[in-house]
Amino acid sequence: MRLRTRAAILVAVATAAVGLTTVPASAATVHRAHIHCFNISWQNGWSATVYYHNTCGSTQHIAVAKGSDTRWCGAVKAHAKGHHKTWLPAGAKVVWRKSC
């Protein structure tokens, strides 16, 4: 009987520990979009990584901007994939540009 009690306590503690380490779904929301030639995904936050894939047959430009303030702009070769770590404040957008 003591062995069953110990096993039950271990299972309860392990279950509680797993419950403490989970991240709420709302905190881990991934945004996805298609802008001009780019498939993109990102998460808002102090430090966010923007993932992109240029689906066009020529070099295109992508930027992270808030209003007229450009946080980052890069040229992406045809059919290339990549990522860029940046800060995405509220109101910032990932946009297509003719040039940087």
Side-chain angles (χ1 to χ4, degrees):
M1 189 70 158
R2 291 176 85 177
L3 184 57
R4 286 185 187 171
T5 304
R6 287 183 186 169
I9 290 171
L10 284 173
V11 168
V13 169
T15 303
V18 169
L20 292 175
T21 59
T22 58
V23 177
S26 61
T29 302
V30 175
H31 304 281
R32 299 179 194 279
H34 179 81
I35 300 171
H36 191 65
C37 292
F38 289 100
N39 292 324
I40 56 172
S41 63
W42 73 95
Q43 278 184 294
N44 289 353
W46 288 102
S47 179
T49 303
V50 176
Y51 295 90
Y52 52 85
H53 176 204
N54 180 359
T55 59
C56 285
S58 61
T59 299
Q60 300 291 320
H61 297 85
I62 190 170
V64 175
K66 182 175 181 179
S68 61
D69 179 24
T70 301
R71 304 259 177 213
W72 171 77
C73 187
V76 182
K77 292 183 180 180
H79 306 291
K81 294 180 181 180
H83 64 277
H84 181 75
K85 192 168 189 166
T86 187
W87 176 54
L88 286 174
K93 296 181 180 182
V94 179
V95 296
W96 171 81
R97 294 260 169 95
K98 289 188 178 184
S99 64
C100 288

